[in-house]
Amino acid sequence: MTDASTNRPVRVRFAPSPTGKLHIGGARTAIYNWAFARAMGGTFVLRIEDTDPERSTEENTAIILRAMEWLGLDWDEGPEVGGQFGPYFQSQRTQLYQQALDRLKEAGAVYPCFCTKDELDAKRARAEAEEGGYAGYDRTCREIPPQEARARIAAGEPHVWRLKVPLEHGPVVFEDAVYGSMSFPVDVMDDMILQRTDGTFTYNYVVVCDDVAMEMTHVIRGDDHLSNTPRQVLVYEALGAEVPLFAHLPMILGSNGKKLSKRHGATNVEEYRDRGYLPEAMVNFLALLGWSLDGETTIIPREELCRDFSLTRINKKHAIFDEKKLDWMDGSYIREMDVESFLATAKPWFVRAVALGTKASCSDEAVCVVPTPTKEEQQEEARATKPLNEDVPAETWGHALAYVEDHADRLRATYPLLVERLNRFDEIPAKIEFLFWGTHVILDEKSRDKVLLKEGSGAEEALALCRAALADESIPWQFEALQEECLARGEAAGLKTKALLQPLRVAVCGNMVSPPLFESIVLMERADVLARIDNVSSVVFDA
Ligand code: GLU
């Protein structure tokens, strides 16, 4: 489809520099380009801007590609898929930049500058001391007659190539889908360097060469590039190329209104993947950081995004990255999953749950009382990205994996316990680890004090009552039957439901917060459950 504003088939690109992993802001830029291409029936190009040899690495490129794949952002042209406008790595396009520069030389649109670094520094220092300050390179070498310049080059004098900004040019104008018509006075623009003394090319030059050669119709990128754009427009004009339509995206800020940084938690896509977020939720969430469908709709699945995305609804105001909202959204997507995909995604987290549970069951002490984490500790824990097998010996992990594979039905049975209660998959181990403790219990200190040791609560009696009910082999090991039996015995003894069941919950699950109690109990062995009650009772009440 062609875009009315450019009259050319829509072609957009995501152009990351592989100097780090795929940052949240970069991912959002990628999503907007991808969704726009899909909505317009256009082409989405991935171009790797690896011109900084010191900071670009192949490893980062690979990480970026995998992160794009994980998010489901398929590119039509670029690394691994090729395309007619390749190569798609800037480091392999030097010849094209040189050819374009040669054309600019022929057209008299550039000139060599022989000013040394020391001279430039001195000029800058002088200008800064004067009123008005430094206004860019003073164009000394622009006046050098062409024959003289050629002779100096032939003699091997070091030089750069600068763009000859047309002085009679009116304001530099361009259209931005977010900011509207932009206009910058030309006299504040100095003759920027296109090629450095060592023969390498500058970012503002190569990015335009590529966007022209790759026939980009729109340039959608972060607004940190806004100040580069008027300079780039001058390069388009010098190359005699059509200027694309721009869309500069608002900054993403952390919840404290400051630039998103490590302090706000994870900042790159890989970490979110490792923390168990769903790519669908991530894409939806990031799409809404600076864009909206109608100002209200929050759940916009991938297909709808690809259909309805438009540049006109991008916000100028910065966006706030609210991780709570992301968690909520992830939870919404989890609840939409069918059982099979849920189980497939949950598998590594099940393995971790089994591994942690097994580890606890090997402890020397049958009941291990652990301090309750503070709120801050809990928050920190929730934000941390840890390897799945953290604190799990390789052997335990291997056994846990085999267990999960051999007990698919048992793990399938946790689905109803989990699906309504999860915001992220990495919450699974903490929620169901207790199922795999065997006869052991990791007892939360606060739960012990508040529920079991609370004066006058009748916890000991309640626990004994429930134990007797659970020990009655005439009652089938099914949650309704067990629940009914416990409640009936409790009622006969005049105990309220909470007073009756909280001690049981703490004794069996180790905590006053747990998934539904009887549904959990039936997933364990009767003997283990009774042993846990006995172990906890002897530690807590007989001490
Ligand atoms: N490589 C640039 C960056 O990673 C993007 C350039 C552009 O989109 O024009 O910031």
Side-chain angles (χ1 to χ4, degrees), residues 4 25 296 331 384 439 443 481:
E296 283 171 31
T439 58
L443 186 57

Side-chain angles (χ1 to χ4, degrees), residues 33 108 137 156 199 219 239 266-267 298 300 325 356 397 433 439 457 480 498 501-502 510:
N33 277 286
Y137 176 59
V219 169
L239 291 169
T267 50
T298 46
I300 307 171
K325 198 165 156 195
L356 293 178
W397 186 268
E433 179 200 319
T439 58
S457 67
E480 289 102 336
K498 195 168 171 205
L501 298 185
Q502 275 304 75

Side-chain angles (χ1 to χ4, degrees), residues 308-324:
D308 298 331
F309 185 82
S310 74
L311 298 181
T312 51
R313 293 204 59 91
I314 296 175
N315 212 327
K316 225 186 276 181
K317 204 169 154 267
H318 57 248
I320 300 283
F321 189 97
D322 177 356
E323 216 167 81
K324 285 206 189 80

Side-chain angles (χ1 to χ4, degrees), residues 155-167:
E157 191 171 337
H159 59 283
V160 300
W161 284 91
R162 290 183 182 273
L163 182 71
K164 210 185 262 179
V165 171
L167 301 176

Side-chain angles (χ1 to χ4, degrees), residues 11 61 99 134 142 148 372 505:
R11 290 180 56 84
T61 300
Q99 285 162 2
Y134 182 66
R142 190 164 162 153
E148 186 192 327
T372 309
R505 187 187 302 278

Side-chain angles (χ1 to χ4, degrees), residues 357-370:
T358 317
K359 208 173 129 195
S361 73
C362 296
S363 156
D364 288 340
E365 287 175 73
V367 178
C368 175
V369 181
V370 292

Side-chain angles (χ1 to χ4, degrees), residues 13 15-17 49 203 207 221 225:
R13 85 304 193 273
S17 306
E49 305 211 316
Y203 158 71
V207 82
R221 61 183 172 198
H225 285 290

Side-chain angles (χ1 to χ4, degrees), residues 330-462:
D330 202 67
S332 310
Y333 274 87
I334 289 177
R335 282 178 262 301
E336 289 300 311
M337 286 175 104
D338 61 61
V339 190
E340 296 313 320
S341 9
F342 179 94
L343 294 172
T345 311
K347 187 172 168 188
W349 305 104
F350 284 156
V351 178
R352 181 166 176 80
V354 172
L356 293 178
T358 317
K359 208 173 129 195
S361 73
C362 296
S363 156
D364 288 340
E365 287 175 73
V367 178
C368 175
V369 181
V370 292
T372 309
T374 61
K375 236 195 168 109
E376 289 74 44
E377 284 168 342
Q378 279 174 13
Q379 276 169 356
E380 208 163 292
E381 176 77 16
R383 275 208 305 260
T385 310
K386 296 185 191 153
L388 256 168
N389 58 357
E390 163 153 276
D391 296 335
V392 179
E395 203 188 333
T396 313
W397 186 268
H399 288 146
L401 180 61
Y403 181 94
V404 168
E405 276 164 4
D406 292 346
H407 296 78
D409 285 347
R410 185 160 182 224
L411 289 153
R412 176 179 286 269
T414 65
Y415 169 78
L417 304 189
L418 291 170
V419 69
E420 292 299 327
R421 291 175 183 79
L422 283 187
N423 279 329
R424 295 175 358 208
F425 275 90
D426 71 343
E427 294 165 355
I428 289 180
K431 284 208 179 346
I432 60 165
E433 179 200 319
F434 72 94
L435 295 175
F436 309 98
W437 285 342
T439 58
H440 285 59
V441 177
I442 297 177
L443 186 57
D444 169 61
E445 196 172 20
K446 201 161 149 194
S447 302
R448 177 197 65 184
D449 295 349
K450 275 187 83 172
V451 177
L452 299 179
L453 291 178
K454 194 175 161 205
E455 201 117 355
S457 67
E460 192 172 358
E461 183 199 356

